[in-house]
Amino acid sequence: MLGQVLMAALVASGFLLMGAWKSALSALLGGLVALIPNLYFAYRLHLVRHGGARKVVNAFYSGETIKLALTAALFILALQIPAIDFLMLLLGYAAVLSVFWFALLT
């Protein structure tokens, strides 16, 4: 999770340093759209870590379902903000999600 937070901050900071505050805000919100549902999912699985296999599997599937719904809701909310650039929002979202792939390489 820390890697995802750092990635969101890095992308937003890069745009802010270039003077594009709208792009920075959009990228940061995109990062949060990816980060918040992932935090929820991890917390949900953390709660049942000592439960039986059935509880873990149930928590996994229900957590993933809620994670997807939460992601859609957060995208809808973010797109209601007039100053948001959709491409930068997607860039921030993809950057945070890419942390999973880079973690697999290490």
Side-chain angles (χ1 to χ4, degrees):
M1 291 293 158
L2 180 60
Q4 291 178 329
V5 172
L6 291 174
M7 180 62 82
L10 180 69
V11 172
S13 297
F15 283 118
L16 195 57
L17 286 174
M18 293 184 337
W21 70 269
K22 287 184 180 184
S23 295
L25 176 64
S26 299
L28 182 62
L29 285 176
L32 289 175
V33 167
L35 182 65
I36 292 170
N38 284 333
L39 283 172
Y40 168 78
F41 182 73
Y43 178 70
R44 178 119 176 157
L45 289 181
H46 177 75
L47 291 177
V48 296
R49 68 189 181 281
H50 298 300
R54 183 177 304 265
K55 282 188 178 183
V56 172
V57 169
N58 287 340
F60 183 87
Y61 284 116
S62 64
E64 188 65 28
T65 301
I66 294 170
K67 178 182 154 183
L68 291 172
L70 186 56
T71 300
L74 289 173
F75 263 120
I76 290 169
L77 285 175
L79 292 173
Q80 300 303 311
I81 301 171
I84 294 301
D85 180 0
F86 182 68
L87 290 177
M88 295 302 113
L89 181 78
L90 284 181
L91 178 78
Y93 179 77
V96 170
L97 287 185
S98 72
V99 172
F100 287 128
W101 295 102
F102 289 123
L104 292 174
L105 296 175
T106 60

